[in-house]
Amino acid sequence: DIQMTQSPSSLSASVGDRVTITCRASQSINSYLNWYQHKPGKAPKLLIYTASSLQSGVPSRFNGSGSGTDFTLTISSLQPEDFATYYCQQSYSTWTFGQGTKVEIK
Amino acid sequence: EVQLVESGGGLVKPGGSLRLSCAASGFIFTTAWMSWVRQAPGKGLEWVGHIKSSTAGGTTDYAAPVKGRFTISRDDSKNTLYLQMNSLKTEDTAVYYCSWEYHSALNIWGQGTMVTVSS
């Protein structure tokens, strides 16, 4: 199976900060990479699909980039509602998630 | 409104079986590819498996930890997705979500149903 490794595992940031989360695949997955936001007690929410396409209704401060094995999710200006755990997920073959990145208030 | 509603969760003993259901509405279920995802307490999201639409062959794929024990099926006449879980282990304890796949991503999610495997 393809292993997905996110970094960092957690981070502390302030409202207005620029935040970057990286995701690395153990082999090339082309652009079959998605990003999700998950808050406790809620269903996960799709943010970005196929590496860089913004899901409908998701604010434009969320941006995804990358291809092959290295991918990035950037939040350009962190808002209070963005404190959550973020996951990358590959859909190239037998799907797998990264271990998650928890974004906490500084 | 697009909606997915899971049911069937509960407490089961190790080695036991349980069947989860996911009722879909608001989209054309017959052409939808569907997934199950779980989250164990204090852990991250884990993809369990998926089933293609019947028109695409209705084939399934599973994550290694559940392969041979879990079976995903669908009843298009009832707009319902199923997850049959056999030989359950304590490590299968989790919230189980169903999700509608679109653009090779998990587009819409249900609210989840809790499965606890304990003696």
Side-chain angles (χ1 to χ4, degrees):
Chain A
D1 287 359
I2 298 174
Q3 307 302 315
M4 306 301 294
T5 304
Q6 287 181 234
S7 60
S9 296
S10 64
L11 64 90
S12 295
S14 301
V15 172
D17 283 355
R18 182 182 181 89
V19 169
T20 299
I21 299 168
T22 64
C23 179
R24 175 164 287 177
S26 59
Q27 67 182 73
S28 176
I29 57 171
N30 293 337
S31 294
Y32 289 95
L33 191 282
N34 308 307
W35 290 98
Y36 302 86
Q37 177 191 69
H38 193 201
K39 297 180 180 179
K42 302 282 191 180
K45 176 184 177 183
L46 176 65
L47 300 174
I48 303 286
Y49 61 94
T50 54
S52 60
S53 297
L54 190 68
Q55 172 71 345
S56 176
V58 173
S60 59
R61 63 180 180 273
F62 290 93
N63 182 68
S65 64
S67 66
T69 60
D70 294 308
F71 301 86
T72 300
L73 173 69
T74 301
I75 310 172
S76 60
S77 178
L78 199 66
Q79 297 302 301
E81 60 269 29
D82 300 337
F83 292 96
T85 301
Y86 293 84
Y87 295 90
C88 64
Q89 173 253 323
Q90 64 82 16
S91 56
Y92 182 77
S93 71
T94 305
W95 296 14
T96 47
F97 283 91
Q99 80 278 16
T101 295
K102 187 173 184 178
V103 177
E104 299 175 300
I105 301 172
K106 193 172 187 177
Chain B
E1 180 194 4
V2 176
Q3 196 171 15
L4 296 170
V5 178
E6 302 94 338
S7 61
L11 175 64
V12 61
K13 288 181 167 51
S17 297
L18 203 60
R19 188 178 82 159
L20 306 182
S21 300
C22 170
S25 59
F27 63 100
I28 304 173
F29 184 76
T30 54
T31 60
W33 296 28
M34 302 293 295
S35 266
W36 287 97
V37 176
R38 67 184 180 182
Q39 185 179 35
K43 302 292 186 182
L45 298 174
E46 181 182 25
W47 183 78
V48 171
H50 71 178
I51 186 166
K52 295 181 181 179
S53 65
S54 301
T55 53
T59 55
T60 54
D61 190 17
Y62 300 94
V66 308
K67 203 165 189 176
R69 299 188 299 124
F70 289 12
T71 302
I72 298 173
S73 62
R74 61 193 299 155
D75 185 338
D76 289 346
S77 69
K78 297 181 178 179
N79 285 358
T80 301
L81 176 73
Y82 300 102
L83 178 64
Q84 177 67 44
M85 303 184 292
N86 298 331
S87 303
L88 282 161
K89 306 175 182 181
T90 55
E91 52 263 42
D92 295 319
T93 294
V95 175
Y96 284 75
Y97 299 96
C98 66
S99 180
W100 173 29
E101 296 177 23
Y102 192 66
H103 291 307
S104 296
L106 299 165
N107 187 36
I108 300 293
W109 298 63
Q111 287 301 307
T113 187
M114 183 70 203
V115 172
T116 303
V117 184
S118 174
S119 55

